[in-house]
């Protein structure tokens, strides 16, 4: 059975221009006074734009990194957060939205109640050096996380973030994926279960396609520069190529986004009884038909597509489960018993 869930109606999008999840604390414009108080280093990047609003230069990776440090400190109590130069520095509001929608997904299977606390275990495929998804999931819902990544430098950086923040030490484990062509194999223990997996897969097929796409976006965005300056981070599309950074494995892979998620679906069959919901972001809507076909081929019992709106941008994630009714009842009574 295939179910499609759309959490944001057209009417709601018109009422809420940011379109972020109702529980997302980043729905309002940034209060830079409070953020600078939380992370004083941010002050050097804050300026007043031509409309009289405080903002930062979102084309400057250092400014974006300082903003993320401030947001993570102010909203999630993270005292230390940093990433090596050149690694992906993601927009926090969008990352938080994925986590909150995942909580809703789990709640739909739990009579409307979000399962919280350390009994809920999540696997972040491609955790990156930033470790943002586990941080937000841990802080917002008390979930336990495993973050896996094929880049050894990213693994070291994420591990340092966890070690430096006492509240994360017992909640987040970082693992190295020794083979970048695998997704779950090598990082999923033989008897290990996860309630949900999440992933922001590499988008491009290679570096050349990434550069072409970035060049196209820059041409299209040059006319919107004035609007970009007046918007907060989650509404801004940067005219520069890589304001959020990113290593090769974070940005492209063999087969691009479709190829990566297809490998994920194929590998999920081997651990189908050890996970309630497998999920992945899908940036390109045109990839969905092939993914639906593959999920039908591997006999997924449930498939859902959840839309997430962020300003003018609509993103989505796809979720699938192999559990039948008896397995779901067992899962709820043994792992999520409220």
């Amino acid at each position: 059975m295939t179910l499609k869930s759309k959490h944001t109606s057209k009417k709601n999008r018109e009422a809420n221009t940011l379109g972020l999840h109702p529980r997302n604390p980043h729905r309002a414009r940034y209060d830079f006074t409070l953020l600078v108080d939380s992370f004083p280093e941010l002050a050097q990047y804050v300026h007043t734009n031509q409309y009289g609003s405080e903002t930062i230069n979102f084309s400057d990776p250092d400014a974006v990194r300082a903003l993320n440090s401030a947001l993570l400190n102010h909203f999630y109590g993270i005292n230390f957060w940093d990433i090596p130069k050149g690694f992906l520095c993601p927009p926090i509001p969008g990352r938080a939205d994925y986590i909150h929608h995942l909580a809703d997904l789990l709640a739909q299977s739990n009579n409307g109640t979000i399962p919280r606390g350390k009994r809920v275990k999540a696997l972040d495929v491609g955790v990156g050096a930033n470790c943002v998804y586990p941080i937000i999931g841990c802080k917002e819902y008390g979930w336990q996380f495993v973050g896996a990544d094929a880049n050894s430098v990213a693994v070291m950086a994420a591990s340092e973030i966890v070690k430096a923040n006492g509240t994360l030490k017992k909640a987040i484990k970082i693992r190295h994926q020794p083979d970048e062509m695998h997704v779950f194999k090598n990082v999923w223990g033989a008897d290990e279960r996860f309630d949900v997996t999440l992933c922001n897969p590499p988008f491009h097929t290679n570096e050349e396609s990434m550069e072409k796409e970035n060049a196209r976006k820059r041409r299209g965005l040059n006319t919107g520069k004035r609007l970009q300056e007046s918007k907060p981070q989650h509404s801004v599309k940067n005219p520069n190529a890589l304001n959020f950074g990113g290593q090769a494995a974070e940005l492209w892979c063999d087969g691009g986004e479709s190829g990566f998620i297809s490998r994920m679906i194929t590998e999920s069959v081997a651990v189908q009884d050890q996970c309630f919901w497998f999920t992945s972001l899908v940036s390109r809507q045109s990839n969905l038909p092939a993914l639906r076909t593959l999920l039908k081929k591997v006999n997924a019992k449930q498939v859902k597509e959840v839309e997430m709106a962020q300003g003018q941008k609509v993103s989505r994630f796809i979720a699938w489960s192999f559990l039948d009714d008896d397995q779901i009842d067992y899962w709820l009574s043994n792992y999520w018993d409220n």
Side-chain angles (χ1 to χ4, degrees):
M1 178 176 63
T2 300
L3 301 174
K4 186 170 183 178
S5 175
K6 293 186 177 181
H7 285 267
T8 311
S9 67
K10 181 178 179 181
K11 182 178 180 181
N12 286 338
R13 289 181 197 171
E14 291 174 350
N16 174 17
T17 56
L18 299 183
L20 295 174
H21 191 282
R23 292 193 303 276
N24 194 324
H26 310 291
R27 288 161 61 86
R29 290 186 177 276
Y30 297 135
D31 186 331
F32 282 99
T33 300
L34 292 177
L35 292 176
V36 168
D37 185 60
S38 295
F39 190 70
E41 292 179 37
L42 175 63
Q44 63 186 302
Y45 302 107
V46 177
H47 66 273
T48 301
N49 64 19
Q50 59 183 313
Y51 305 103
S53 300
E54 286 191 319
T55 187
I56 65 168
N57 178 5
F58 289 95
S59 301
D60 181 354
D62 291 332
V64 174
R65 189 162 56 249
L67 175 61
N68 279 8
S69 294
L71 291 169
L72 291 169
N73 180 279
H74 182 74
F75 289 99
Y76 306 104
I78 300 302
N79 294 319
F80 170 81
W81 183 87
D82 197 12
I83 57 173
K85 290 281 188 179
F87 276 78
L88 188 64
C89 185
I92 302 299
R95 294 297 169 103
D97 238 39
Y98 189 8
I99 292 294
H100 290 298
H101 280 287
L102 288 180
D104 288 347
L105 177 68
L106 298 184
Q108 290 170 20
S109 305
N110 193 39
N111 298 316
T113 300
I114 297 173
R116 298 172 181 266
K118 62 183 180 181
R119 66 182 181 275
V120 180
K121 303 183 186 303
L123 171 62
D124 180 5
V125 176
V127 64
N130 59 79
C131 197
V132 167
Y133 284 134
I135 289 172
I136 297 175
C138 171
K139 290 294 185 174
E140 291 286 78
Y141 298 108
W143 297 344
Q144 300 277 300
F145 271 82
V146 169
D149 205 285
N151 187 302
S152 58
V153 177
V155 167
M156 291 177 61
S159 298
E160 286 301 314
I161 292 171
V162 172
K163 291 177 183 177
N165 294 276
T167 56
L168 303 180
K169 286 183 180 180
K170 294 183 179 180
I172 301 173
K173 296 179 180 178
I174 306 298
R175 297 177 184 172
H176 182 233
Q177 167 60 269
D179 187 345
E180 63 182 20
M181 291 305 295
H182 284 300
V183 181
F184 299 129
K185 185 179 179 181
N186 304 318
V187 297
W188 196 311
D191 300 318
E192 196 167 31
R193 70 160 183 90
F194 290 103
D195 300 285
V196 66
T197 71
L198 56 150
C199 180
N200 183 13
F203 180 75
H204 302 282
T205 56
N206 51 49
E207 185 174 9
E208 182 181 3
S209 82
M210 184 198 71
E211 292 295 346
K212 287 182 179 179
E213 178 68 12
N214 283 331
R216 183 192 67 80
K217 287 182 178 180
R218 288 197 299 274
R219 288 194 299 270
L221 290 170
N222 280 338
T223 57
K225 190 173 182 180
R226 291 178 63 186
L227 177 62
Q228 294 160 3
E229 188 177 11
S230 64
K231 293 287 186 178
Q233 180 180 355
H234 49 270
S235 300
V236 172
K237 293 182 179 180
N238 177 27
N240 290 340
L242 293 172
N243 62 321
F244 295 116
Q247 297 291 295
E250 295 176 306
L251 302 174
W252 67 83
C253 69
D254 185 27
E257 178 182 75
S258 179
F260 191 95
I261 301 175
S262 295
R263 288 194 291 275
M264 183 185 298
I265 292 171
T266 301
E267 288 194 23
S268 71
V269 175
V271 286
Q272 61 181 281
D273 298 331
Q274 295 170 245
C275 184
F276 201 127
W277 283 107
F278 299 90
T279 81
S280 176
L281 292 175
V282 183
S283 295
R284 184 169 289 168
Q285 190 172 13
S286 60
N287 287 331
L288 288 172
L291 297 176
R292 294 184 197 122
T293 299
L294 180 56
L295 285 165
K296 185 176 181 179
K297 182 178 180 181
V298 299
N299 297 315
K301 298 291 195 304
Q302 290 191 77
V303 178
K304 297 187 179 187
E305 295 163 19
V306 179
E307 286 191 353
M308 302 179 292
Q310 300 165 33
Q312 299 301 313
K313 177 184 177 183
V314 176
S315 61
R316 70 201 57 80
F317 67 85
I318 191 167
W320 65 98
S321 177
F322 295 95
L323 301 187
D324 58 29
D325 291 342
D326 289 339
Q327 289 173 307
I328 290 173
D329 289 340
Y330 179 85
W331 200 286
L332 294 180
S333 62
N334 284 270
Y335 305 135
W336 295 355
D337 187 5
N338 296 307

